Amino acid sequence: MSNITIEDYKRAIRAKYKIAIAEDVSGILSNPKPAEIRNFYFRIFEKGVGKIDTEIMEIFFETRESFPLKRAIENCNTGKLKPIISFLQGGNTENGPRIEMAAILVDFRPRPFRNFEDNKGISEENKTIEDLNGSEQFILEVEKAEEVEKAEEGEDQNGKQVLSKDNLVNTVPSGKSIRERFNNKVKLTIAGISIVFCLGFLISYYLYPKKQCMQWTGDHYEKVDCVQEVKSLVGFNSIKSFEEQQFELKKIEVCDTTTYLKNGQPIIWYGKINNKVDFFNIDGWNPINGKQLRPVTDHIFNKYKEDCQSKN
């Protein structure tokens, strides 16, 4: 049974993000903006992506036959990309597509998580412990040299007698033993965290599945569990990644007494499918066909409004 967890995968992606910042000549990744990240994904797509990356991007950007991936990226609401930026900068997410999109953005390999797990977590993150060990040894040597220098002077700053140089060298613990103790502590800590995470994940997965997606139910969205969609990584269905703004979208009834303008500006939006018009309370995307909703006009309102008396 593999000890590699999704938390290991997240840490590895964030470690690769720091490397990607240094390698990014455009400077976009060091201070990413949602619109810039959208363009970044578009360039990745234009250069060509593999089958699995394509499936992940199709799920995230919610493509369909009439709304191909290229167009979906171009028309993506930039607010949808903010959680990815937040995750890379240290925030947390349990949303599978977002995690995989972050991996694509920084070109972390191996991806997706199942490949990372199959490779037993071997990635550039593994360099972190080695680099930390090297830094610890360097600090130890600097501190040792400072103590030796004080010993040669015979006294410390308070005038107290200190050990001789020879005795001091013999009393300083070796860097090797410190590294060994440090490595053992790291291993024990990682093992403990992994066990706790696995137990917590199993309990939450089977007893309390998190509803991190949403589904249109006729006139509004409801939160639903999206684990199966993330695991399958195939095609598009009516289950979408949760978006706070889009979640507030509701279909509304409009009749001749409905107020549709405020200070000359529309406060109702509409979508049209097969010459049938549906009205909505906020701007966003039509939950049926994914097209951008449009602000209502006098012409549309007068043509498609209903008689309020006929509703009573």
Side-chain angles (χ1 to χ4, degrees):
M1 181 175 178
S2 174
N3 292 324
I4 304 303
T5 70
I6 190 66
E7 292 301 314
D8 296 325
Y9 188 49
K10 292 179 186 178
R11 288 194 295 270
I13 293 173
R14 292 193 187 103
K16 182 61 169 67
Y17 172 57
K18 295 179 181 179
I19 297 173
I21 290 176
E23 296 175 346
D24 177 31
V25 295
S26 68
I28 292 175
L29 295 180
S30 60
N31 185 26
K33 302 294 189 300
E36 295 175 336
I37 295 301
R38 178 183 59 191
N39 296 337
F40 206 99
Y41 278 120
F42 187 82
R43 289 199 297 272
I44 292 174
F45 170 79
E46 288 284 83
K47 291 179 180 179
V49 292
K51 180 181 178 182
I52 294 179
D53 285 357
T54 299
E55 291 176 352
I56 292 170
M57 296 177 77
E58 285 177 345
I59 289 174
F60 181 82
F61 289 111
E62 301 176 0
T63 62
R64 56 194 64 83
E65 291 183 4
S66 61
F67 203 64
L69 181 55
K70 181 178 180 179
R71 183 181 172 192
I73 297 175
E74 291 176 326
N75 292 275
C76 173
N77 180 7
T78 55
K80 188 179 180 69
L81 302 172
K82 291 181 180 179
I84 296 177
I85 298 174
S86 176
F87 164 71
L88 288 172
Q89 293 178 338
N92 193 26
T93 181
E94 303 299 332
N95 186 287
R98 287 177 186 165
I99 296 171
E100 299 299 351
M101 287 295 290
I104 292 174
L105 183 67
V106 302
D107 195 27
F108 174 82
R109 298 175 188 275
R111 64 175 185 266
F113 172 65
R114 61 173 178 262
N115 289 342
F116 178 80
E117 188 177 30
D118 290 342
N119 281 270
K120 302 185 183 302
I122 297 176
S123 70
E124 295 200 22
E125 189 197 32
N126 291 2
K127 297 178 181 178
T128 303
I129 298 298
E130 296 177 5
D131 293 341
L132 189 56
N133 290 341
S135 299
E136 183 190 15
Q137 176 63 16
F138 175 75
I139 293 171
L140 176 66
E141 291 175 355
V142 170
E143 291 177 346
K144 180 177 176 180
E146 290 176 348
E147 293 297 329
V148 170
E149 183 177 353
K150 290 179 181 179
E152 289 176 340
E153 295 174 355
E155 294 182 347
D156 63 12
Q157 293 179 350
N158 297 322
K160 296 181 180 180
Q161 196 70 26
V162 296
L163 295 175
S164 67
K165 177 179 178 180
D166 293 336
N167 290 335
L168 180 61
V169 171
N170 293 330
T171 58
V172 175
S174 68
K176 180 178 180 181
S177 62
I178 290 180
R179 285 201 303 274
E180 289 175 350
R181 292 198 299 272
F182 177 78
N183 287 337
N184 290 335
K185 288 182 180 179
V186 169
K187 291 176 181 178
L188 289 174
T189 301
I190 292 176
I193 292 174
S194 299
I195 293 172
V196 172
F197 174 81
C198 290
L199 290 175
F201 176 79
L202 290 173
I203 293 173
S204 63
Y205 180 85
Y206 289 105
L207 298 182
Y208 308 102
K210 294 183 179 180
K211 296 182 178 181
Q212 297 169 332
C213 285
M214 60 186 188
Q215 188 173 30
W216 185 251
T217 60
D219 61 359
H220 68 283
Y221 280 107
E222 289 187 359
K223 288 185 178 180
V224 296
D225 180 24
C226 52
V227 172
Q228 294 303 317
E229 180 199 15
V230 173
K231 289 177 66 177
S232 63
L233 293 179
V234 290
F236 167 82
N237 57 35
S238 59
I239 297 178
K240 302 179 180 180
S241 298
F242 179 80
E243 294 182 39
E244 184 174 353
Q245 181 176 355
Q246 183 75 0
F247 184 74
E248 301 299 324
L249 185 75
K250 293 180 177 61
K251 188 168 73 171
I252 59 176
E253 299 290 339
V254 170
C255 60
D256 49 18
T257 61
T258 300
T259 300
Y260 67 96
L261 294 177
K262 185 176 182 180
N263 297 327
Q265 298 298 320
I267 57 174
I268 294 175
W269 282 258
Y270 75 95
K272 190 174 183 181
I273 301 177
N274 297 327
N275 293 322
K276 182 181 181 300
V277 169
D278 291 318
F279 294 95
F280 298 88
N281 62 326
I282 60 174
D283 191 10
W285 286 266
N286 193 318
I288 306 302
N289 60 11
K291 292 185 178 180
Q292 179 76 48
L293 298 177
R294 298 181 180 181
V296 71
T297 62
D298 292 333
H299 171 74
I300 292 295
F301 178 80
N302 292 323
K303 183 176 181 179
Y304 293 99
K305 67 183 179 181
E306 297 185 21
D307 185 358
C308 289
Q309 293 182 354
S310 65
K311 290 182 168 290
N312 298 330

